[in-house]
């Protein structure tokens, strides 16, 4: 044990203490955060740091599996369940089962004691890992695959069943039974009449002879613009073009002046063309 500790470089020690501190803080935030989404994100950060530990120690397969399976798949499943169920801060503070916090704390302390006892009795000597060489004889990945699908296949399938159960449970929890009868179209129409809402369809935007844009209000039969034809967002931004009587009169006057100017230019061109033709004949 001392030989392994002495072989640790300064960079590895700094990396361990920095990442370990962040991992512990993330684990504590997972428990102490009031919002379930924040707790799930903190847990995802802790899992990513564990993957960095694996990669730093040369366990590249475990590092990739930690990111792809745990952080990428299981954590996304947690987030989807949280979003589907719709857990809020008020729900997280309300205990549906009495004493569940004390039982959770007791289970956590018991697990910690077992983990510390197991690590304390573990031996990291050169000959302590019995059967590791035989298991990795054909390669580390092949050895893991052989153990997963032979010796530990039952535990592997149980884990898959638990994940499927979690997904099905999320869909069951999000399903809401209808407590009242759905209203028919006739009943909805009668309700709109009683409430005095706009019964016919709203007029289309851009009801104007020269334009078809959404920022131009439609005109009512008396020539006034209808506010119902323009999007509320455009109206709030001040991007609605004015089509009132004054604006229409100004536009007609501008078009009239443009036509007169174009007419004068056309007459001048015609006179110039006739003059050039007469000079060419001479």
């Amino acid at each position: 044990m001392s030989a392994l500790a002495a072989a640790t470089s300064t960079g590895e020690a700094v990396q361990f203490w920095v990442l370990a501190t962040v991992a512990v803080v993330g684990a504590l935030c997972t428990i102490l955060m009031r919002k379930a989404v924040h707790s799930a994100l903190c847990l995802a950060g802790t899992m990513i740091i564990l993957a960095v530990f694996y990669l730093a120690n040369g366990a590249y397969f475990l590092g990739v599996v930690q990111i792809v399976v745990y952080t990428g798949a299981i954590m996304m499943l947690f987030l989807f369940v949280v979003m589907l169920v719709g857990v809020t801060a008020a729900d997280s503070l309300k205990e549906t089962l009495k004493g569940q916090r004390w039982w959770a704390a007791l289970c956590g302390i018991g697990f910690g004691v077992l983990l510390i006892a197991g690590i304390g009795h573990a031996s990291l000597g050169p000959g302590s890992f019995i059967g590791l060489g035989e298991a990795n004889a054909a390669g580390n990945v092949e050895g893991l695959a052989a153990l997963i699908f032979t010796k530990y296949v039952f535990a592997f399938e149980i884990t898959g069943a638990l994940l499927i159960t979690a997904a099905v449970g999320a869909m069951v929890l999000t399903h809401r039974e209808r407590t009242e009868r759905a209203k028919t179209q006739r009943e909805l129409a009668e309700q709109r009449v009683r409430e005095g809402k706009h019964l016919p369809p709203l007029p289309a935007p851009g009801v104007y002879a020269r334009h078809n844009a959404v920022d131009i209000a439609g005109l009512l039969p008396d020539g006034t613009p209808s506010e119902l034809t323009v999007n509320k967002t455009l109206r709030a931004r001040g991007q609605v073009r004015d089509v009132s009587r004054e604006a229409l009169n100004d536009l007609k006057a501008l078009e009239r002046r443009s036509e007169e100017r174009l007419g004068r230019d056309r007459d001048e061109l015609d006179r110039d063309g006739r003059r050039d033709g007469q000079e060419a004949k001479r």
Side-chain angles (χ1 to χ4, degrees):
M1 188 72 180
S2 60
L4 292 176
T8 303
S9 63
T10 305
E12 291 176 347
V14 171
Q15 178 192 36
F16 171 78
W17 288 110
V18 171
L19 294 180
T21 304
V22 177
V24 172
V25 171
L28 292 176
C29 291
T30 303
I31 302 174
L32 301 177
M33 283 290 180
R34 293 181 179 272
K35 293 186 177 181
V37 177
H38 295 168
S39 298
L41 293 177
C42 292
L43 182 58
T46 304
M47 289 184 174
I48 292 175
I49 293 176
L50 293 179
V52 175
F53 281 145
Y54 292 143
L55 296 175
N57 289 306
Y60 302 110
F61 179 77
L62 289 179
V64 173
V65 169
Q66 179 74 20
I67 294 177
V68 174
V69 177
Y70 286 95
T71 308
I74 298 179
M75 282 310 306
M76 291 302 104
L77 178 62
F78 288 167
L79 289 177
F80 287 154
V81 170
V82 169
M83 289 186 291
L84 287 174
V85 175
V87 179
T88 61
D91 296 331
S92 61
L93 296 178
K94 183 179 179 181
E95 294 187 6
T96 56
L97 299 177
K98 294 183 178 181
Q100 61 178 347
R101 294 176 182 265
W102 295 106
W103 282 106
L106 184 61
C107 293
I109 293 174
F111 178 76
V113 171
L114 291 176
L115 183 62
I116 294 173
I119 295 176
H121 287 82
S123 176
L124 298 179
S128 59
F129 302 102
I130 301 174
L132 185 60
E134 291 80 359
N136 294 329
N140 181 257
V141 178
E142 290 79 359
L144 287 174
L147 289 175
I148 289 175
F149 293 104
T150 56
K151 184 177 181 179
Y152 300 103
V153 62
F154 183 72
F156 185 75
E157 294 297 333
I158 288 296
T159 304
L162 288 176
L163 294 178
I164 296 175
T165 304
V168 175
M171 292 185 288
V172 171
L173 290 175
T174 54
H175 179 69
R176 295 291 183 270
E177 294 291 342
R178 185 179 294 274
T179 57
E180 58 183 8
R181 184 179 61 85
K183 296 182 179 179
T184 62
Q185 293 293 333
R186 181 181 181 85
E187 292 175 348
L188 292 175
E190 293 176 354
Q191 181 180 358
R192 286 196 297 268
V193 172
R194 294 191 189 98
E195 295 176 355
K197 293 183 178 180
H198 192 86
L199 298 181
L202 297 177
V207 185
Y208 181 48
R210 295 175 177 83
H211 296 279
N212 192 24
V214 296
D215 58 345
I216 295 181
L219 299 181
L220 297 175
D222 57 353
T224 58
S226 174
E227 297 294 335
L228 298 176
T229 60
V230 182
N231 195 334
K232 295 180 180 179
T233 304
L234 297 177
R235 190 184 307 116
R237 292 177 179 176
Q239 297 178 348
V240 181
R241 282 189 275 180
D242 187 13
V243 290
S244 59
R245 292 184 180 276
E246 293 77 7
L248 295 178
N249 294 331
D250 295 339
L251 182 61
K252 290 180 181 179
L254 178 61
E255 292 177 348
R256 191 181 303 110
R257 290 194 298 269
S258 300
E259 291 177 356
E260 293 176 356
R261 181 175 179 180
L262 291 175
R264 290 196 301 268
D265 295 340
R266 192 179 299 108
D267 294 338
E268 291 178 0
L269 290 175
D270 293 340
R271 287 196 299 269
D272 293 340
R274 287 195 298 269
R275 189 181 305 111
D276 293 339
Q278 292 176 359
E279 291 178 356
K281 290 180 181 179
R282 293 177 184 175

